[in-house]
Amino acid sequence: MLALFSREEFGLNQLLGSLSGTRGWLDFALAVGILLGTYFLAGKLLAKLPDDDGKTYLLRHIWRRTCWPLLMLLAGAAALVAWYGLLGATAVWLRLLVMAARWMLLIRVVLAVFHSAIPANRFSSRMESSLAAALWGAFLLWASGIDDIIIAWLRGLQFSAGSARLSLYTVLTGLLWVGVMVVGAMWLSRYIDTRLKGSKRLDPNLQIMLSKLARTILLILSVLIALPLVGIDLTVLSVFGGAFGVGLGFGLQKIASNYVSGFIILGDRSVRPGDRLTVNNFTGYVTQITARFVVLRSAGGQEALIPNETFITSAVINESYTGKSLWQSLDVQVAYHTDLAQALQILQEAAAAQDRVKTDPPPKAYLIDFADNGINLRLGFWVRDPENGFLGLNSAILLTVWQRFNEEGIEFPFPQREVRILNQELSPDAAALLKAGYRAQGDTASDEVAGSSAEPPR
């Protein structure tokens, strides 16, 4: 059984030469039959699995991806053992099928873990396809034996890093192990993040802070564990420590500041998911807190990415810091002959009738001004869920007020102007002065016309 999983080199001449006899064609037909039979059997088994309902279950996802290659591997290994037992001859196509099934099983497990480790975005599918192509390319090199030539060439390319002597093969192997450990750390950090967010006993800020802290520690440990596995001494990294420190002090100081500021605002709980903030004249709700910035989403759908450092060095208005409810007010104007006590009562009842308005403290209406055209009233109330917006709520309250005012005969005033025409006779002195003024204006106009028609001096 162990020999079934050892590497064997398959060349084109060997595969085509096996088809020169009846056994070769039987071997080929059996391999194709196992390939197709296990494919349809895997489809039947996977059709009975329940849907994920939008959630990602790693084990179920791995089973969906590996069901076919696993069945193909088991069926191919059983057929190969039976072939050796009955005919006592080699089966080239069955051995190739077993080797391909084993490699496909490995690739799909790696891709499933990689898929669950990286965040879903427009580049994740492309990265997954690139990784699959790279793994299949590595399989072809491994099956053909070309990988030994490439490894020997890479080991021959050596260079010095401080007092250590490294080869290109060691560096590439180290990078490969670092990538594997980082992917594993990312998957584990996402699992921890999912478990923390599912806990109802932890504060949301504490959940985010523990998740980011776990991810940072796991990523650092993955690098520190992966490098010694390939024989790279960690003291070699001290050569790059000085340069990295200088770069961190100059080029990466803003990134480091935002990263540290993110932990500070999570620790002191000054900014939490769902808070309503006003930063640089932009008002929105906190939808996400990342290592570098905080995402604010306005009621209109615009999103602002505010650096974490801004919340430490600038003034930020947090309308949800001590409580979620927000105070809102509406202004209404009524005519001067209105019963003000009745109008104020109608305003309070219209607001209290809405489910989104808090009853403790209850809505209050006030008289605020005696204006030119009417009396200004103001209705104030507390909104339970400001994240759902205010336009619909204000419209419902004003519509109720309009209906109640019409029922009670309360008028909404409109601008009015009173014009008085005074028809009084002028006294003799005033009439003489008025006529003299008209005569003076006429003389001035005649002089201007005469002056414009005169010939200009030479």
Side-chain angles (χ1 to χ4, degrees), residues 126-166:
R126 187 180 304 175
M127 293 173 60
E128 190 173 350
S129 302
S130 301
L131 180 59
L135 292 175
W136 278 113
F139 167 71
L140 294 177
L141 294 176
W142 176 77
S144 60
I146 302 177
D147 62 326
D148 292 335
I149 302 175
I150 297 177
I151 291 175
W153 177 70
L154 292 176
R155 284 178 173 172
L157 298 177
Q158 297 184 355
F159 59 93
S160 298
S163 58
R165 188 73 175 173
L166 300 176

Side-chain angles (χ1 to χ4, degrees), residues 71-363:
L71 292 177
M72 186 166 53
L73 177 62
L74 296 176
L80 195 56
V81 172
W83 183 281
Y84 283 147
L86 295 176
L87 301 179
T90 58
V92 179
W93 291 100
L94 285 177
R95 293 205 316 271
L96 181 61
L97 178 68
V98 170
M99 184 177 296
R102 180 190 63 177
W103 196 261
M104 182 186 296
L105 183 65
L106 175 63
I107 289 176
R108 293 200 170 188
V109 170
V110 171
L111 293 180
V113 175
F114 182 77
H115 176 77
S116 63
I118 62 175
N121 51 45
R122 58 180 179 176
F123 300 107
S124 58
S125 58
R126 187 180 304 175
M127 293 173 60
E128 190 173 350
S129 302
S130 301
L131 180 59
L135 292 175
W136 278 113
F139 167 71
L140 294 177
L141 294 176
W142 176 77
S144 60
I146 302 177
D147 62 326
D148 292 335
I149 302 175
I150 297 177
I151 291 175
W153 177 70
L154 292 176
R155 284 178 173 172
L157 298 177
Q158 297 184 355
F159 59 93
S160 298
S163 58
R165 188 73 175 173
L166 300 176
S167 65
L168 186 58
Y169 173 78
T170 304
V171 174
L172 293 179
T173 307
L175 292 177
L176 178 62
W177 275 105
V178 169
V180 172
M181 297 296 292
V182 166
V183 170
M186 292 176 62
W187 172 80
L188 186 57
S189 65
R190 290 196 67 182
Y191 174 77
I192 295 175
D193 180 66
T194 304
R195 299 290 294 179
L196 288 175
K197 289 182 178 179
S199 176
K200 299 181 180 180
R201 294 180 296 178
L202 294 178
D203 184 79
N205 276 35
L206 184 59
Q207 294 175 6
I208 299 176
M209 185 174 67
L210 291 177
S211 174
K212 294 184 181 300
L213 188 62
R215 175 171 297 184
T216 303
I217 294 176
L218 288 173
L219 289 177
I220 295 176
L221 288 178
S222 64
V223 176
L224 296 179
I225 293 174
L227 293 181
L229 289 178
V230 294
I232 298 179
D233 191 359
L234 293 180
T235 56
V236 177
L237 299 179
S238 61
V239 179
F240 308 99
F244 180 76
V246 173
L248 183 63
F250 289 96
L252 303 179
Q253 58 179 347
K254 286 294 182 182
I255 299 177
S257 176
N258 287 323
Y259 192 81
V260 175
S261 299
F263 279 99
I264 293 176
I265 63 178
L266 288 173
D268 60 14
R269 295 192 292 181
S270 57
V271 176
R272 295 162 295 184
D275 283 358
R276 180 182 172 93
L277 307 179
T278 299
V279 183
N280 297 330
N281 297 325
F282 184 89
T283 302
Y285 292 90
V286 179
T287 59
Q288 187 179 3
I289 302 178
T290 67
R292 191 177 63 86
F293 54 83
V294 175
V295 181
L296 293 185
R297 182 179 178 86
S298 67
Q302 298 89 356
E303 291 183 330
L305 308 182
I306 311 298
N308 292 333
E309 186 183 11
T310 305
F311 297 92
I312 304 298
T313 59
S314 303
V316 178
I317 300 176
N318 190 344
E319 300 178 1
S320 308
Y321 184 69
T322 57
K324 181 181 179 182
S325 302
L326 289 181
W327 173 265
Q328 290 293 300
S329 62
L330 294 174
D331 292 340
V332 177
Q333 191 176 68
V334 296
Y336 269 97
H337 59 270
T338 303
D339 184 352
L340 294 182
Q342 184 183 23
L344 294 174
Q345 182 66 24
I346 291 175
L347 291 177
Q348 295 175 170
E349 292 175 354
Q354 303 297 323
D355 295 335
R356 296 180 55 193
V357 176
K358 294 186 65 175
T359 57
D360 185 19

Side-chain angles (χ1 to χ4, degrees), residues 26-38 93-94 97:
L26 182 60
D27 180 17
F28 177 75
L30 185 58
V32 173
I34 293 175
L35 182 70
L36 297 177
T38 53
W93 291 100
L94 285 177
L97 178 68

Side-chain angles (χ1 to χ4, degrees), residues 7 12 17 84 124 260 399 410 439:
R7 183 177 73 170
L12 182 61
Y84 283 147
S124 58
V260 175
L399 182 60
I410 299 177
R439 188 180 297 111

